[in-house]
Structures are given as C-alpha cells and as structure tokens.
Amino acid sequence: MKGKIYLLLAFSLAGTSVITGYLLFEKLGSFTVTSVSLGIMILCLSPFYGRKTVQTIRLLGRSDWKMLLLQAFFGIFLFRIFLLLGVGLTSTVEAGILIGTTPAITSLLAYFVLKERPSGWAAIGIACTVLGIALLEGMNLNSAAFAMQHTWGNVLILCAAASESTFSILSRRHRVRQLHDTTIQIHPIVQTLLVSAIAFVLSAIPALWENPLGNLQGIGTREWLALIWYGLIVTALAFVFFYAGVKRCDAYTTAAFSGMIPLTSMLLSLLFLKESVGYEQWAGGLLIISSMLLIGAQKNSSALA
C-alpha cells in the first residue's frame, strides 16, 4: 500500500507538467526549460545528498550507468522535449487527450517486454483507467477534431507518452535486477540526482542555440516560479515518489496510477484556466480513481509489495 501511495503522489505531481510547460513555452525554448529546471533542482539537493551520491557512484557498475542513462534519456530528456515542443504546436485539449495514452502504452510494454502477466484485478483496473481517460477527454475529443495543422504537435505528444511509459518499464527492470544484487541499493533521492544530472548534460548543450541568457532575462516572476516548480516538484519530488513506488509495485499498478496525469491536468485546468467540466468528464475521473482503489485493495498485487 505504501508503494501505491507513492505512485499516486508521483503521477499527481507529474500531471502539473502539462500546464507548467504550456506557461513556459511562450517565453523559453524547450531545451532551456529542461536544463534550467534541472539545474535548479541539482543545486538545491546536492548540499544535502552530495556525499551520499558520491559514495553511490563508487559502487555503480557499467550496467547501472547504462540503465541510469536510459532513464535520463527517456524519462526526462525525451519526455520533456517532446512535451514542450508538442504543446507549442497543438492545443492543450488535444495534448491532454494524447498524454492519456500512457497507461495503455505502459501495459503493452509490460506484457511484451517484461513478460509480466496482469492479475485479474490489475486487468480490471487497467481497463477502468483506459475507459476513464476516454470519458475524461470524450467531450474534448468531440470538439477538438484533431486539426490537421496540429498533426506534428500531436505526434510529439504521443512520443512524450511513449517516453514516459518506456521510463516506467526501464525503472521496473532496473529494480528487479537490483533485487538480485544486494551490494547496490540506490536511494531514491540519489537516483533522482544522478538521472537528472545526466539529463542536464543532454539538454544543456542544445540549449546554447536557444539564446538562454537573453531569454531568461526577459521572463517574469511567474515564469521563474514555474521553473522552480518544474525542477523541485515535477522532477525532484515526483521522481523520488516514483522510484520509491516502482520498487514496491508491478508494472501494471504503475500503469494504472499513471492515469493521474490527465486527471490532475483536468482539475488544474478547471481551477486555474477556468475550463468547464461536464458530467462525462467527472465520470471518467471517478473511473480512474476506482481503478486505483481496485488495485490498491489487492493484498499481494506484486511480489515486491
């Protein structure tokens, strides 16, 4: 149950990235947003976990570095680049619809890549999540009509969803491998720092072509607060919760709880963007919550729980 609570918190915080990214894309390039927000996070956490991070680095082998690199590449670098570029080329409505494909993609990868088979309750929970997202975005789907000029933006959002799913599967595989190696147990915050540092290097180089210093001088308090939120909350806190949750839950539980991303996005749009929400969308939200309750009620949904 502790792992499921961690996943609930992780994906709820991750759901704020859609609106945060929309606010920042108007003023800053996608690589700049990624590198600056990661830099803020690294500067804030290093004084507290720098020594522990150095101690962990000495124990890591080649396979550990490979997995951390893949997590940074898919979970932060590609996800944020695709998301930030996508929201600038499509509507927030269409972006919300397409990012909701994450649970389905994660479930397919768990089945074909990890060879994990879902239990009966997990399968029902996944079905409720997918149906809930369909209802959640059903009214918007009718009105959005996926405009042709938004095609490339929609493709990028789908790539962001696939990157997030790949990150979840890679994290699960890394955790399974660690169970058979008792000499290396990476602390969630240390793992977040290492993955973020790699992603920072990957994004900082292309950010140089976006005139980062000039653009940063032109932003206001709202954009700086959004960058701090993106770095400390969406990255640091959400990733710590995610790593703590994924080591206790199976891939299908992770997939079901990722339905909190579009649900959180909808609620924030309701509160801050004053968008209207109909009965169909509320029903979808209830289905997503029901799916998490179904999976949460299992005593042994995973051997790691």
Side-chain angles (χ1 to χ4, degrees), residues 214-263:
N215 291 332
L216 287 171
Q217 290 176 357
I219 65 175
T221 303
R222 185 184 72 167
E223 287 77 20
W224 278 111
L225 290 175
L227 283 171
I228 293 172
W229 178 271
Y230 216 26
L232 295 182
I233 306 301
V234 177
T235 301
L237 192 56
F239 270 55
V240 168
F241 285 145
F242 175 80
Y243 285 128
V246 77
K247 72 179 184 180
R248 294 174 169 87
C249 301
D250 59 27
Y252 293 98
T253 301
T254 303
F257 276 79
S258 66
M260 283 302 299
I261 295 178
L263 179 58

Short mmCIF file of all heavy atoms in Angstrom, two decimals, residues 214-263:
data_model
loop_
_atom_site.label_atom_id
_atom_site.label_comp_id
_atom_site.label_asym_id
_atom_site.label_seq_id
_atom_site.Cartn_x
_atom_site.Cartn_y
_atom_site.Cartn_z
N GLY A 214 19.72 35.48 -22.80
CA GLY A 214 18.87 36.57 -23.22
C GLY A 214 17.40 36.32 -22.91
O GLY A 214 16.68 37.22 -22.44
N ASN A 215 16.94 35.09 -23.14
CA ASN A 215 15.54 34.76 -22.88
C ASN A 215 15.22 34.75 -21.39
O ASN A 215 14.14 35.16 -20.97
CB ASN A 215 15.19 33.40 -23.50
CG ASN A 215 15.18 33.44 -25.01
OD1 ASN A 215 14.93 34.49 -25.61
ND2 ASN A 215 15.47 32.32 -25.64
N LEU A 216 16.16 34.28 -20.58
CA LEU A 216 15.93 34.24 -19.14
C LEU A 216 15.83 35.64 -18.55
O LEU A 216 15.10 35.87 -17.57
CB LEU A 216 17.06 33.46 -18.45
CG LEU A 216 17.04 31.95 -18.64
CD1 LEU A 216 18.31 31.31 -18.09
CD2 LEU A 216 15.82 31.33 -17.96
N GLN A 217 16.55 36.58 -19.13
CA GLN A 217 16.47 37.96 -18.65
C GLN A 217 15.12 38.60 -18.94
O GLN A 217 14.72 39.57 -18.29
CB GLN A 217 17.58 38.80 -19.29
CG GLN A 217 18.98 38.43 -18.80
CD GLN A 217 20.06 39.21 -19.52
OE1 GLN A 217 19.78 39.99 -20.44
NE2 GLN A 217 21.31 39.02 -19.12
N GLY A 218 14.41 38.04 -19.92
CA GLY A 218 13.14 38.63 -20.31
C GLY A 218 11.92 38.01 -19.65
O GLY A 218 10.79 38.42 -19.93
N ILE A 219 12.09 37.02 -18.77
CA ILE A 219 10.94 36.40 -18.13
C ILE A 219 10.64 37.06 -16.79
O ILE A 219 11.49 37.73 -16.20
CB ILE A 219 11.16 34.88 -17.93
CG1 ILE A 219 12.30 34.62 -16.94
CG2 ILE A 219 11.44 34.20 -19.26
CD1 ILE A 219 12.50 33.16 -16.61
N GLY A 220 9.40 36.85 -16.33
CA GLY A 220 8.97 37.47 -15.09
C GLY A 220 8.91 36.49 -13.93
O GLY A 220 9.38 35.35 -14.02
N THR A 221 8.29 36.95 -12.85
CA THR A 221 8.20 36.13 -11.63
C THR A 221 7.42 34.85 -11.86
O THR A 221 7.78 33.78 -11.35
CB THR A 221 7.51 36.94 -10.51
OG1 THR A 221 8.25 38.16 -10.29
CG2 THR A 221 7.47 36.14 -9.22
N ARG A 222 6.34 34.92 -12.66
CA ARG A 222 5.53 33.73 -12.93
C ARG A 222 6.35 32.63 -13.58
O ARG A 222 6.25 31.45 -13.21
CB ARG A 222 4.34 34.10 -13.82
CG ARG A 222 3.36 32.95 -14.05
CD ARG A 222 2.25 33.32 -15.01
NE ARG A 222 2.75 33.42 -16.38
CZ ARG A 222 1.95 33.48 -17.44
NH1 ARG A 222 0.64 33.49 -17.29
NH2 ARG A 222 2.46 33.56 -18.67
N GLU A 223 7.16 33.01 -14.57
CA GLU A 223 7.98 32.01 -15.27
C GLU A 223 9.06 31.43 -14.37
O GLU A 223 9.34 30.22 -14.43
CB GLU A 223 8.61 32.63 -16.52
CG GLU A 223 7.63 32.89 -17.66
CD GLU A 223 6.77 34.11 -17.44
OE1 GLU A 223 7.18 34.97 -16.61
OE2 GLU A 223 5.71 34.22 -18.06
N TRP A 224 9.67 32.27 -13.52
CA TRP A 224 10.68 31.75 -12.59
C TRP A 224 10.07 30.79 -11.58
O TRP A 224 10.66 29.76 -11.24
CB TRP A 224 11.39 32.89 -11.87
CG TRP A 224 12.50 33.51 -12.67
CD1 TRP A 224 12.53 34.74 -13.24
CD2 TRP A 224 13.74 32.87 -13.02
NE1 TRP A 224 13.71 34.94 -13.91
CE2 TRP A 224 14.49 33.81 -13.80
CE3 TRP A 224 14.29 31.62 -12.75
CZ2 TRP A 224 15.75 33.51 -14.30
CZ3 TRP A 224 15.56 31.33 -13.26
CH2 TRP A 224 16.27 32.27 -14.02
N LEU A 225 8.88 31.11 -11.09
CA LEU A 225 8.19 30.20 -10.17
C LEU A 225 7.85 28.89 -10.87
O LEU A 225 7.93 27.81 -10.27
CB LEU A 225 6.92 30.87 -9.63
CG LEU A 225 7.12 32.03 -8.65
CD1 LEU A 225 5.79 32.66 -8.29
CD2 LEU A 225 7.84 31.55 -7.39
N ALA A 226 7.47 28.98 -12.15
CA ALA A 226 7.17 27.77 -12.90
C ALA A 226 8.42 26.91 -13.08
O ALA A 226 8.36 25.68 -13.00
CB ALA A 226 6.57 28.14 -14.26
N LEU A 227 9.57 27.56 -13.33
CA LEU A 227 10.82 26.82 -13.47
C LEU A 227 11.21 26.13 -12.16
O LEU A 227 11.67 24.98 -12.15
CB LEU A 227 11.95 27.77 -13.91
CG LEU A 227 11.97 28.18 -15.38
CD1 LEU A 227 12.99 29.29 -15.60
CD2 LEU A 227 12.28 26.98 -16.26
N ILE A 228 11.04 26.85 -11.04
CA ILE A 228 11.34 26.25 -9.73
C ILE A 228 10.41 25.08 -9.46
O ILE A 228 10.84 24.02 -8.98
CB ILE A 228 11.22 27.32 -8.62
CG1 ILE A 228 12.32 28.38 -8.79
CG2 ILE A 228 11.31 26.68 -7.24
CD1 ILE A 228 12.16 29.57 -7.88
N TRP A 229 9.14 25.25 -9.78
CA TRP A 229 8.18 24.16 -9.60
C TRP A 229 8.55 22.97 -10.47
O TRP A 229 8.52 21.82 -10.03
CB TRP A 229 6.77 24.65 -9.95
CG TRP A 229 5.71 23.58 -9.85
CD1 TRP A 229 5.32 22.70 -10.82
CD2 TRP A 229 4.94 23.24 -8.69
NE1 TRP A 229 4.35 21.85 -10.36
CE2 TRP A 229 4.10 22.15 -9.05
CE3 TRP A 229 4.87 23.77 -7.39
CZ2 TRP A 229 3.20 21.59 -8.16
CZ3 TRP A 229 3.97 23.19 -6.51
CH2 TRP A 229 3.16 22.13 -6.89
N TYR A 230 8.93 23.25 -11.72
CA TYR A 230 9.30 22.19 -12.65
C TYR A 230 10.51 21.41 -12.15
O TYR A 230 10.60 20.19 -12.33
CB TYR A 230 9.59 22.81 -14.02
CG TYR A 230 9.15 21.97 -15.19
CD1 TYR A 230 8.11 21.07 -15.09
CD2 TYR A 230 9.77 22.11 -16.44
CE1 TYR A 230 7.70 20.31 -16.17
CE2 TYR A 230 9.36 21.36 -17.53
CZ TYR A 230 8.33 20.47 -17.38
OH TYR A 230 7.92 19.72 -18.46
N GLY A 231 11.46 22.13 -11.53
CA GLY A 231 12.66 21.47 -11.08
C GLY A 231 12.51 20.75 -9.75
O GLY A 231 12.86 19.57 -9.62
N LEU A 232 11.95 21.43 -8.74
CA LEU A 232 11.89 20.87 -7.40
C LEU A 232 10.70 19.94 -7.17
O LEU A 232 10.79 18.99 -6.39
CB LEU A 232 11.86 22.00 -6.36
CG LEU A 232 13.10 22.89 -6.29
CD1 LEU A 232 12.95 23.93 -5.19
CD2 LEU A 232 14.35 22.05 -6.07
N ILE A 233 9.58 20.21 -7.83
CA ILE A 233 8.38 19.42 -7.58
C ILE A 233 8.16 18.38 -8.67
O ILE A 233 8.11 17.17 -8.40
CB ILE A 233 7.14 20.34 -7.47
CG1 ILE A 233 7.37 21.42 -6.41
CG2 ILE A 233 5.90 19.51 -7.14
CD1 ILE A 233 7.66 20.90 -5.03
N VAL A 234 8.04 18.83 -9.93
CA VAL A 234 7.77 17.90 -11.03
C VAL A 234 8.91 16.91 -11.23
O VAL A 234 8.69 15.76 -11.58
CB VAL A 234 7.49 18.68 -12.33
CG1 VAL A 234 7.27 17.73 -13.51
CG2 VAL A 234 6.26 19.57 -12.15
N THR A 235 10.15 17.38 -11.01
CA THR A 235 11.30 16.47 -11.17
C THR A 235 11.69 15.82 -9.85
O THR A 235 11.56 14.61 -9.68
CB THR A 235 12.50 17.23 -11.75
OG1 THR A 235 12.14 17.79 -13.00
CG2 THR A 235 13.67 16.27 -11.98
N ALA A 236 12.18 16.62 -8.90
CA ALA A 236 12.76 16.06 -7.68
C ALA A 236 11.74 15.26 -6.87
O ALA A 236 11.88 14.05 -6.67
CB ALA A 236 13.36 17.18 -6.83
N LEU A 237 10.69 15.93 -6.40
CA LEU A 237 9.74 15.26 -5.51
C LEU A 237 8.98 14.15 -6.22
O LEU A 237 8.82 13.05 -5.67
CB LEU A 237 8.77 16.30 -4.94
CG LEU A 237 7.89 15.83 -3.77
CD1 LEU A 237 8.75 15.31 -2.63
CD2 LEU A 237 7.00 16.98 -3.29
N ALA A 238 8.52 14.42 -7.45
CA ALA A 238 7.76 13.40 -8.18
C ALA A 238 8.62 12.18 -8.47
O ALA A 238 8.16 11.04 -8.35
CB ALA A 238 7.21 13.99 -9.48
N PHE A 239 9.89 12.39 -8.84
CA PHE A 239 10.76 11.26 -9.15
C PHE A 239 11.11 10.46 -7.90
O PHE A 239 11.23 9.23 -7.94
CB PHE A 239 12.03 11.75 -9.85
CG PHE A 239 11.90 11.81 -11.34
CD1 PHE A 239 10.88 12.53 -11.93
CD2 PHE A 239 12.80 11.16 -12.16
CE1 PHE A 239 10.75 12.59 -13.31
CE2 PHE A 239 12.69 11.21 -13.54
CZ PHE A 239 11.66 11.93 -14.11
N VAL A 240 11.30 11.15 -6.78
CA VAL A 240 11.57 10.43 -5.53
C VAL A 240 10.38 9.53 -5.18
O VAL A 240 10.56 8.36 -4.83
CB VAL A 240 11.85 11.44 -4.39
CG1 VAL A 240 11.84 10.73 -3.04
CG2 VAL A 240 13.20 12.12 -4.61
N PHE A 241 9.18 10.07 -5.28
CA PHE A 241 7.99 9.26 -5.03
C PHE A 241 7.90 8.11 -6.03
O PHE A 241 7.53 6.99 -5.66
CB PHE A 241 6.72 10.12 -5.13
CG PHE A 241 6.51 11.03 -3.94
CD1 PHE A 241 5.95 12.30 -4.11
CD2 PHE A 241 6.85 10.63 -2.67
CE1 PHE A 241 5.75 13.13 -3.03
CE2 PHE A 241 6.66 11.47 -1.57
CZ PHE A 241 6.10 12.72 -1.76
N PHE A 242 8.21 8.39 -7.29
CA PHE A 242 8.12 7.36 -8.32
C PHE A 242 9.09 6.21 -8.05
O PHE A 242 8.70 5.04 -8.10
CB PHE A 242 8.41 7.96 -9.70
CG PHE A 242 8.46 6.94 -10.80
CD1 PHE A 242 7.29 6.46 -11.36
CD2 PHE A 242 9.67 6.46 -11.26
CE1 PHE A 242 7.33 5.50 -12.37
CE2 PHE A 242 9.72 5.50 -12.26
CZ PHE A 242 8.54 5.03 -12.82
N TYR A 243 10.35 6.53 -7.77
CA TYR A 243 11.33 5.48 -7.52
C TYR A 243 10.97 4.68 -6.26
O TYR A 243 11.20 3.47 -6.21
CB TYR A 243 12.72 6.08 -7.38
CG TYR A 243 13.34 6.51 -8.68
CD1 TYR A 243 13.86 7.80 -8.84
CD2 TYR A 243 13.41 5.64 -9.75
CE1 TYR A 243 14.43 8.20 -10.04
CE2 TYR A 243 13.98 6.03 -10.96
CZ TYR A 243 14.48 7.31 -11.09
OH TYR A 243 15.04 7.70 -12.28
N ALA A 244 10.42 5.35 -5.26
CA ALA A 244 10.02 4.65 -4.05
C ALA A 244 8.81 3.76 -4.32
O ALA A 244 8.65 2.70 -3.69
CB ALA A 244 9.68 5.66 -2.94
N GLY A 245 7.96 4.17 -5.25
CA GLY A 245 6.77 3.38 -5.56
C GLY A 245 7.03 2.23 -6.51
O GLY A 245 6.51 1.12 -6.32
N VAL A 246 7.86 2.46 -7.53
CA VAL A 246 8.06 1.44 -8.55
C VAL A 246 8.80 0.23 -8.00
O VAL A 246 8.67 -0.89 -8.53
CB VAL A 246 8.82 2.04 -9.76
CG1 VAL A 246 10.30 2.18 -9.47
CG2 VAL A 246 8.58 1.22 -11.01
N LYS A 247 9.58 0.41 -6.93
CA LYS A 247 10.29 -0.74 -6.37
C LYS A 247 9.37 -1.60 -5.51
O LYS A 247 9.74 -2.70 -5.11
CB LYS A 247 11.49 -0.27 -5.55
CG LYS A 247 11.17 0.38 -4.23
CD LYS A 247 12.45 0.77 -3.51
CE LYS A 247 12.18 1.35 -2.13
NZ LYS A 247 13.43 1.72 -1.44
N ARG A 248 8.15 -1.12 -5.23
CA ARG A 248 7.21 -1.87 -4.40
C ARG A 248 6.01 -2.40 -5.19
O ARG A 248 5.23 -3.18 -4.67
CB ARG A 248 6.69 -0.97 -3.26
CG ARG A 248 7.74 -0.57 -2.25
CD ARG A 248 7.18 0.42 -1.25
NE ARG A 248 8.07 0.64 -0.12
CZ ARG A 248 9.05 1.53 -0.09
NH1 ARG A 248 9.25 2.31 -1.15
NH2 ARG A 248 9.82 1.67 0.97
N CYS A 249 5.85 -1.94 -6.45
CA CYS A 249 4.66 -2.29 -7.23
C CYS A 249 5.06 -2.84 -8.59
O CYS A 249 6.13 -2.55 -9.11
CB CYS A 249 3.77 -1.06 -7.41
SG CYS A 249 3.20 -0.31 -5.87
N ASP A 250 4.14 -3.62 -9.19
CA ASP A 250 4.42 -4.17 -10.51
C ASP A 250 4.12 -3.14 -11.59
O ASP A 250 3.62 -2.04 -11.33
CB ASP A 250 3.64 -5.47 -10.75
CG ASP A 250 2.13 -5.26 -10.63
OD1 ASP A 250 1.66 -4.13 -10.89
OD2 ASP A 250 1.42 -6.22 -10.30
N ALA A 251 4.42 -3.50 -12.83
CA ALA A 251 4.30 -2.55 -13.93
C ALA A 251 2.85 -2.17 -14.20
O ALA A 251 2.57 -1.04 -14.63
CB ALA A 251 4.92 -3.15 -15.20
N TYR A 252 1.91 -3.09 -13.96
CA TYR A 252 0.50 -2.79 -14.24
C TYR A 252 -0.08 -1.83 -13.21
O TYR A 252 -0.93 -1.00 -13.53
CB TYR A 252 -0.31 -4.09 -14.30
CG TYR A 252 0.07 -4.94 -15.49
CD1 TYR A 252 0.95 -6.00 -15.35
CD2 TYR A 252 -0.43 -4.64 -16.75
CE1 TYR A 252 1.31 -6.77 -16.44
CE2 TYR A 252 -0.07 -5.41 -17.85
CZ TYR A 252 0.79 -6.47 -17.70
OH TYR A 252 1.16 -7.21 -18.78
N THR A 253 0.37 -1.95 -11.98
CA THR A 253 -0.04 -0.97 -10.96
C THR A 253 0.49 0.41 -11.32
O THR A 253 -0.22 1.41 -11.22
CB THR A 253 0.50 -1.39 -9.58
OG1 THR A 253 -0.01 -2.69 -9.26
CG2 THR A 253 0.07 -0.41 -8.50
N THR A 254 1.74 0.46 -11.77
CA THR A 254 2.31 1.73 -12.22
C THR A 254 1.52 2.30 -13.38
O THR A 254 1.24 3.51 -13.43
CB THR A 254 3.78 1.52 -12.64
OG1 THR A 254 4.51 0.95 -11.55
CG2 THR A 254 4.42 2.83 -13.05
N ALA A 255 1.12 1.45 -14.32
CA ALA A 255 0.35 1.91 -15.48
C ALA A 255 -0.99 2.49 -15.05
O ALA A 255 -1.41 3.55 -15.54
CB ALA A 255 0.14 0.76 -16.45
N ALA A 256 -1.67 1.82 -14.13
CA ALA A 256 -2.98 2.30 -13.69
C ALA A 256 -2.88 3.65 -12.99
O ALA A 256 -3.68 4.55 -13.23
CB ALA A 256 -3.63 1.27 -12.76
N PHE A 257 -1.88 3.79 -12.14
CA PHE A 257 -1.75 5.03 -11.40
C PHE A 257 -1.27 6.19 -12.29
O PHE A 257 -1.46 7.36 -11.93
CB PHE A 257 -0.79 4.85 -10.22
CG PHE A 257 -1.46 4.26 -9.01
CD1 PHE A 257 -1.72 2.91 -8.93
CD2 PHE A 257 -1.86 5.07 -7.96
CE1 PHE A 257 -2.35 2.36 -7.82
CE2 PHE A 257 -2.49 4.54 -6.85
CZ PHE A 257 -2.74 3.17 -6.78
N SER A 258 -0.69 5.89 -13.44
CA SER A 258 -0.30 6.96 -14.35
C SER A 258 -1.52 7.68 -14.93
O SER A 258 -1.38 8.74 -15.54
CB SER A 258 0.58 6.42 -15.48
OG SER A 258 -0.15 5.54 -16.32
N GLY A 259 -2.70 7.12 -14.73
CA GLY A 259 -3.92 7.81 -15.13
C GLY A 259 -4.14 9.10 -14.37
O GLY A 259 -4.98 9.93 -14.76
N MET A 260 -3.39 9.30 -13.28
CA MET A 260 -3.49 10.55 -12.53
C MET A 260 -2.94 11.74 -13.32
O MET A 260 -3.27 12.88 -13.02
CB MET A 260 -2.74 10.44 -11.20
CG MET A 260 -3.46 9.64 -10.11
SD MET A 260 -5.08 10.32 -9.71
CE MET A 260 -4.64 11.96 -9.14
N ILE A 261 -2.12 11.48 -14.33
CA ILE A 261 -1.55 12.59 -15.11
C ILE A 261 -2.64 13.39 -15.82
O ILE A 261 -2.77 14.60 -15.62
CB ILE A 261 -0.48 12.08 -16.10
CG1 ILE A 261 0.72 11.50 -15.33
CG2 ILE A 261 -0.02 13.20 -17.03
CD1 ILE A 261 1.80 10.92 -16.23
N PRO A 262 -3.50 12.74 -16.66
CA PRO A 262 -4.56 13.54 -17.30
C PRO A 262 -5.63 14.00 -16.32
O PRO A 262 -6.23 15.06 -16.51
CB PRO A 262 -5.14 12.57 -18.35
CG PRO A 262 -4.80 11.21 -17.86
CD PRO A 262 -3.48 11.36 -17.17
N LEU A 263 -5.87 13.25 -15.25
CA LEU A 263 -6.87 13.67 -14.26
C LEU A 263 -6.42 14.94 -13.55
O LEU A 263 -7.20 15.88 -13.38
CB LEU A 263 -7.12 12.55 -13.24
CG LEU A 263 -8.12 12.86 -12.13
CD1 LEU A 263 -9.48 13.22 -12.72
CD2 LEU A 263 -8.24 11.67 -11.17
#
